[in-house]
Amino acid sequence: MEKIKIGIIGTGSISVEHIEAYLKNSMVELYAFCDLNENRLNTMAEKYNIKHTFTDLSEMLKLKEIDAVSVCTWNSAHAPCAIAALDAGKHVLCEKPMSVSEEAAKAMKESAERNGKLLMIGFVRRYGNDCKILREFIDSDYFGDLYYAKATYLRRKGNPGGWFGDKSRSGGGPLIDLGVHVIDLVRFLMGNPKPVSVYGATFKKLSDRKNIKGKKFYRASSASENDICDVEDLATAMIRFDNGAVLSIEASFSLNIKKDEGKIELFGTKGGAKLNPELELYSEINDYLADVSLDAETSLSFDGLFAEEINHFVSCILDGTPCISPAQDGIEIMAILDAIYKSAETGHEVIL
Ligand SMILES: NC(=O)c1ccc[n+]([C@@H]2O[C@H](COP(=O)([O-])OP(=O)(O)OC[C@H]3O[C@@H](n4cnc5c(N)ncnc54)[C@H](O)[C@@H]3O)[C@@H](O)[C@H]2O)c1
């Protein structure tokens, strides 16, 4: 079988994960790079020995030999870049969040359908070892009816700066950047129930905490001293699904807590679980309350995580494998995110 040729749109931080994963896949030839930032483009092209480089996406998309692209730009460019690539007849793997609105996400799916091409969303947590283990327990009915879940992704001082704090390019703050990962993971684990209502609140109280002295904090490659910060620094929401289950979510870039944390908790009629980051299971054994930890690697391993996602994308294209993170799921997550922001603005529940 002939190798498929891949183009990368946006050669910033996350593109490295995509590139390294493509390089490990024997059915792929990494073919072309595109970035608005010529310096970054050239540095990356030199590092990975890529001959075809573009600062104008429309020029790259004229290359008929490109079969598929990864969209790794900032969030507001996901929809225009993905639609341009789909309209040019390329399959698309688009980073999370799918876009900056449900409306844009729907336009992306329409473009994929119109052109008969795959649009896969990079919900990378679906491809994690921890997700697979939880799925095994769910499939064997360990939890019974899963009716409640909590997901938190909290940073004490973790606004990366650059475009992440600029709403016009990010679409929002920690909710759309971090919350999206855990909302999607929980919904996926629950079997993708449809969201029916949302109540949310967002806060802009601490901003990006540029004033904080002391240790060095993570900053995005695009960060500078003059970055604007007009996104929320904390978001919290209750999401109700059509199967009666409810998910409570919290995500922050800035918050007065002791330690950063990222965890999910699942509560069912027969058992519960906490992933923080190791998995603990809670149930009853012979009418005693019992806590179980597995003799296995249960915390999320980044080793090979993106390779799982990229290999799936390639297999969907080449073998027709059904996509496990399709555009429709991206749309539903965008509908949830839009509703949380709307509820935060109006102070009322939003019915979906
Ligand atoms: N899956 C994950 O765990 C994960 C982790 C980090 C980031 N991300 C996502 O990846 C995306 C990129 O994040 P990043 O941290 O790599 O950002 P980044 O700033 O390092 O890189 C983004 C690049 O996109 C380029 N770009 C923007 N618009 C463009 C356009 N129209 N055409 C060509 N290039 C364009 C920018 O010049 C920049 O070099 C975001 O959507 C982010 O949410 C996902």
Side-chain angles (χ1 to χ4, degrees), residues 300-313:
L300 175 64
S301 164
F302 286 92
D303 194 19
L305 177 63
F306 279 85
E308 284 282 329
E309 178 185 280
I310 296 290
N311 290 345
H312 181 68
F313 180 54

Side-chain angles (χ1 to χ4, degrees), residues 134-148 189-191 243 245 266-273 281-284:
L134 271 169
R135 281 299 287 259
E136 285 166 13
F137 279 85
I138 288 167
D139 291 346
S140 65
D141 201 31
Y142 177 83
F143 296 105
D145 176 24
L146 269 179
Y147 57 93
Y148 183 52
L189 288 168
M190 285 179 159
N243 60 357
L266 303 175
F267 305 96
T269 46
K270 287 168 49 177
L281 298 155
Y282 314 116
S283 63
E284 298 170 17

Side-chain angles (χ1 to χ4, degrees), residues 36 73-78 97 99-100 161-172 176 222-224 227-228 230-231:
L36 299 175
T73 64
W74 49 65
N75 304 341
S76 64
H78 286 185
S99 63
V100 290
W163 63 265
F164 287 88
D166 172 3
K167 198 170 175 196
S168 70
R169 288 183 288 167
S170 61
I176 199 166
S222 56
S224 79
D227 289 337
I228 56 165
D230 62 354
V231 297

Side-chain angles (χ1 to χ4, degrees), residues 25 28 40 52 69-70 93 96 115 119 123 157 205 210 213 215 222 227 239 241 245-246 252 280 287 295 332 335:
N25 188 308
V28 161
R40 185 169 300 165
H52 306 91
V69 298
S70 271
L93 167 58
K96 51 54 66 175
N115 293 294
L119 172 57
F123 289 132
K157 184 204 174 321
K205 300 285 187 186
K210 273 206 195 85
K213 299 180 209 155
K215 68 174 189 178
S222 56
D227 289 337
I239 304 155
F241 295 101
V246 168
S252 73
E280 279 175 14
D287 293 333
D295 188 8
E332 267 148 42

Side-chain angles (χ1 to χ4, degrees), residues 168-200:
S168 70
R169 288 183 288 167
S170 61
L175 176 67
I176 199 166
D177 183 45
L178 307 176
V180 65
H181 277 296
V182 281
I183 295 173
D184 180 68
L185 178 58
V186 170
R187 182 173 170 265
F188 180 62
L189 288 168
M190 285 179 159
N192 293 321
K194 288 240 173 301
V196 291
S197 72
V198 163
Y199 180 81

Side-chain angles (χ1 to χ4, degrees), residues 9 19 31 46 68 88-89 105 171 177-178 256 268 291 304 307 319 326 330 332:
I9 308 173
I19 291 165
Y31 196 73
E46 201 174 311
D177 183 45
L178 307 176
N256 280 317
D291 304 348
D319 314 325
E332 267 148 42

Side-chain angles (χ1 to χ4, degrees), residues 8-18 34-38 40-41 54-57 71-78 80-81 94-98 122-125 153 160 162-164 169-170 176-177 180-181 218 220-223 302 305-306 309:
I8 303 287
I9 308 173
T11 53
S13 309
I14 205 63
S15 75
V16 173
E17 301 292 342
H18 287 237
C34 170
D35 200 296
L36 299 175
N37 180 326
E38 202 166 359
R40 185 169 300 165
L41 175 70
F54 302 86
T55 51
D56 178 349
L57 177 59
V71 175
C72 299
T73 64
W74 49 65
N75 304 341
S76 64
H78 286 185
C81 291
C94 180
E95 261 301 339
K96 51 54 66 175
M98 182 169 176
F123 289 132
V124 75
R125 292 293 307 263
Y153 206 142
W163 63 265
F164 287 88
R169 288 183 288 167
S170 61
I176 199 166
D177 183 45
V180 65
H181 277 296
Y218 169 75
S221 53
S222 56
F302 286 92
L305 177 63
F306 279 85
E309 178 185 280

